[in-house]
Amino acid sequence: MMGAVGTSSGRTDEAAPGPTEPLTAPFRPVGRIDPGRCSARALVRGDSPVATASPAQRWLLIEQPGPWGRDALAESRFDRSVAPELARRSRAEGVRLLLVRRPDERLADSGRRWAYADSRPGHEGLWWSVRSSDADLLTAPWDGSVGVRADRPIYLVCTHGGHDACCALRGRPLARAMPAPGPADVWECSHLGGDRFAANVVVLPHGFYYGQVPGDGADLVRAHELGQVALPWLRGRAGVPPAGQAAQHEARGALGLLGLDDLPVTSVEPITPPGAVVERWTVTMAGPEGDVVAAVESRPSEVADHLTCRAVHPAHSRTWHVELAGS
């Protein structure tokens, strides 16, 4: 029988086959939220963030203090003559661009830092550099060949209130409180996606996405300092197809394999045509004793709702369901 991994919105979600109770975190995110806000409604509905990590595997982080508008790069203090060309380059090279800033007064100096991060398996790394002008980023190599390599995980907390109020209301308290080993390890960042799962965090360089992170995030930090994922809040690993994210989540829980590199996805084979109302895949992962195979199914939620605070029309999220072979 298939077990439900949870619910998620849009084409970026994936999970596993079968109706069961959705995964929910043991504690709720911090921050006072009006019950009509998207993140509050998602908790009431029991939406699961599983299988909603971004497809991005390469990242450009740009330190930019001050306010950010809905389009963070174009509506900030970043050089407006450079922003459009930089956005074009990031799209052309398949690099996810994020603005970052210090939480509150944590190391409040603005060093005009920037970083390139690579989340591709076997290539993981993050390198910090300093720019003399914003235009430097147009010609700087985005390949890890310049800069100082970070020697520990970096925690990016989405606080982009200009995109969705829940990101600021949930994210800022988390960013201020997160007990990372050093103050340079936690940054506020621009839009990560999945607003209704605030507070959202991505951990680089591996690219693990987390949602509905509760309290001060201490359990998440503790897990990563041990080289493990924090499964209760894990959305998935960036770059892994959604069906693979769903299968990994189910298999990690069933097999107790929490290491960052455990259960890599080796194949995702579609069974149904793309865009089918109910979609199915066979996902294969490399386990410690051989292949782990999962049947994965995704289908629309029964009820439509407003999935972001700015949404004008209700939409259906996707539910994900997984059955491991032999289970």
Side-chain angles (χ1 to χ4, degrees), residues 238-259:
V240 175
Q245 295 177 34
Q248 278 186 325
H249 198 284
E250 181 74 11
R252 283 182 180 279
L255 303 176
L257 296 173
L258 301 181

Side-chain angles (χ1 to χ4, degrees), residues 313-327:
H313 303 290
H316 290 273
S317 59
R318 301 289 297 184
T319 63
W320 294 89
H321 314 266
V322 176
E323 181 178 11
L324 297 177
S327 62

Side-chain angles (χ1 to χ4, degrees), residues 45-77:
R45 290 193 306 268
D47 289 6
S48 168
V50 171
T52 60
S54 164
Q57 289 189 296
R58 299 170 63 223
W59 314 76
L60 182 70
L61 313 182
I62 304 172
E63 183 178 17
Q64 185 56 62
W68 304 330
R70 181 167 174 80
D71 182 335
L73 183 65
E75 300 174 47
S76 69
R77 294 170 184 166

Side-chain angles (χ1 to χ4, degrees), residues 229-265:
V229 298
L231 195 61
W233 309 287
L234 182 63
R235 290 175 57 180
R237 181 171 181 172
V240 175
Q245 295 177 34
Q248 278 186 325
H249 198 284
E250 181 74 11
R252 283 182 180 279
L255 303 176
L257 296 173
L258 301 181
L260 299 181
D261 297 318
D262 286 345
L263 295 167
V265 173

Side-chain angles (χ1 to χ4, degrees), residues 163-191:
H163 195 279
D164 193 291
C166 284
C167 298
L169 295 170
R170 299 282 201 200
R172 285 176 185 157
L174 176 62
R176 289 194 297 264
M178 186 172 276
D185 300 331
V186 178
W187 295 79
E188 296 185 7
C189 75
S190 54
H191 182 57

Side-chain angles (χ1 to χ4, degrees), residues 137-208:
L137 297 175
L138 295 175
T139 56
W142 297 351
D143 58 9
S145 63
V146 299
V148 177
R149 185 169 187 145
D151 59 2
R152 56 165 51 124
I154 300 296
Y155 302 87
L156 304 182
V157 183
C158 182
T159 61
H160 195 172
H163 195 279
D164 193 291
C166 284
C167 298
L169 295 170
R170 299 282 201 200
R172 285 176 185 157
L174 176 62
R176 289 194 297 264
M178 186 172 276
D185 300 331
V186 178
W187 295 79
E188 296 185 7
C189 75
S190 54
H191 182 57
L192 289 177
D195 304 340
R196 75 189 193 281
F197 300 128
N200 286 299
V201 178
V202 64
V203 184
L204 295 177
H206 282 75
F208 285 102

